[in-house]
Amino acid sequence: MIRTTLSKCAKTAGYPLSEEQLLQFSDYADMLSEWNQKMNLTAITEPFEVAAKHFADSLFGLSFIGEHASVIDVGTGAGFPGIPLKIACPGISLTLLDSLNKRLTFLNAVVAELKLSDTTTIHSRAEDGAAKKSPLRERFDVSVSRAVSQLNVLSEYCLPYVKVGGVFLAYKGGDIKEELDAAKNAISLLGGEINDVFRYTIPQTDIAHSIIVIKKMRPTPEKYPRLQGKISKQPL
């Protein structure tokens, strides 16, 4: 079920997958289902929905990621969109960052089982990982996130990881005009500029989503990101 649905979704989306890649996705789905019984990884568990809403949805970021790009998935959770991007584009260097150790235990098991090379997991809060003296700051070609935070908040967590000339890909829903307008000032303060709003419908569904493509134009000022409490309570 997972392989058939995902194969159709990926072809429709323009990202066809090999049999080996489909097998990796199938194994990933099996592990997600098994581990989800022990810890809360995802509320989406039905095979079609996992294939469409998690896997296929994640693949749409491939349009903006170079074949050998360094990519960090900030607040990766159960590995979305990072692991699907890595399966579909094995040449990328992937870092999965999350604040919960139990999620990283799961992700490490997935990385080992799927034999994903050049893939690293890091236990850290997003704002700590990108602090001014962190080796992760402004190191990556691409930062991605499917987190639910508003775009002005999410940009402060994610843009500091991106090197000048790189991009931050924010996976969002379909109706994002107000959120975009509210985030423009924050994005500019953080050294970014909205480069594209890529709109799509997840294949075999009527779900409209968007990817906000934010290009890093200038270094992020050292005072950002602020402490977590300020980021959420006093958004830029």
Side-chain angles (χ1 to χ4, degrees):
M1 175 67 169
I2 287 278
R3 292 171 69 174
T4 303
T5 300
L6 184 59
S7 180
K8 290 178 180 177
C9 286
K11 282 179 183 175
T12 303
Y15 311 111
L17 300 169
S18 69
E19 282 301 312
E20 182 181 354
Q21 289 168 324
L22 289 169
L23 180 58
Q24 285 179 299
F25 273 112
S26 180
D27 290 343
Y28 184 16
D30 288 344
M31 293 185 73
L32 187 64
S33 176
E34 178 187 343
W35 284 66
N36 205 49
Q37 296 174 28
K38 299 180 284 186
M39 62 178 72
N40 183 26
L41 291 168
T42 176
I44 295 173
T45 57
E46 195 273 322
F48 172 83
E49 293 199 333
V50 171
K53 294 181 181 179
H54 279 329
F55 295 167
D57 184 42
S58 295
L59 296 181
F60 281 91
L62 287 170
S63 298
F64 309 99
I65 297 174
E67 189 177 346
H68 299 290
S70 56
V71 180
I72 183 167
D73 184 358
V74 180
T76 184
F80 312 121
I83 288 180
L85 292 171
K86 176 68 176 178
I87 293 172
C89 187
I92 66 173
S93 169
L94 178 64
T95 298
L96 301 165
L97 183 141
D98 202 86
S99 62
L100 282 185
N101 237 332
K102 65 179 183 178
R103 289 185 192 139
L104 296 177
T105 301
F106 166 70
L107 293 172
N108 285 327
V110 171
V111 169
E113 179 66 25
L114 303 188
K115 297 180 173 60
L116 300 179
S117 62
D118 203 4
T119 301
T120 304
T121 60
I122 293 180
H123 180 222
S124 175
R125 298 183 69 94
E127 66 276 16
D128 296 333
K132 65 181 180 180
K133 291 185 179 179
S134 169
L136 301 179
R137 186 180 177 91
E138 298 192 327
R139 179 185 133 188
F140 297 91
D141 298 313
V142 184
S143 172
V144 296
S145 186
R146 285 177 84 216
V148 296
S149 302
Q150 291 290 299
L151 186 58
N152 55 350
V153 171
L154 199 57
S155 294
E156 188 168 355
Y157 285 130
C158 296
L159 263 174
Y161 288 99
V162 182
K163 63 177 69 170
V164 173
V167 293
F168 163 41
L169 306 179
Y171 285 68
K172 286 288 177 182
D175 185 11
I176 40 86
K177 185 181 184 308
E178 283 187 21
E179 193 172 341
L180 269 178
D181 290 342
K184 285 179 179 176
N185 180 60
I187 290 167
S188 179
L189 283 174
L190 295 161
E193 181 180 287
I194 296 172
N195 188 252
D196 191 12
V197 179
F198 177 63
R199 302 178 188 275
Y200 59 95
T201 300
I202 298 176
Q204 301 193 47
T205 77
D206 58 359
I207 300 170
H209 276 183
S210 309
I211 293 177
I212 316 305
V213 183
I214 300 171
K215 187 161 187 181
K216 187 72 171 282
M217 308 300 292
R218 304 171 302 281
T220 299
E222 287 189 356
K223 63 181 177 180
Y224 303 117
R226 297 166 295 163
L227 295 175
Q228 193 273 339
K230 284 197 172 181
I231 294 175
S232 56
K233 292 176 183 175
Q234 300 173 28
L236 295 174

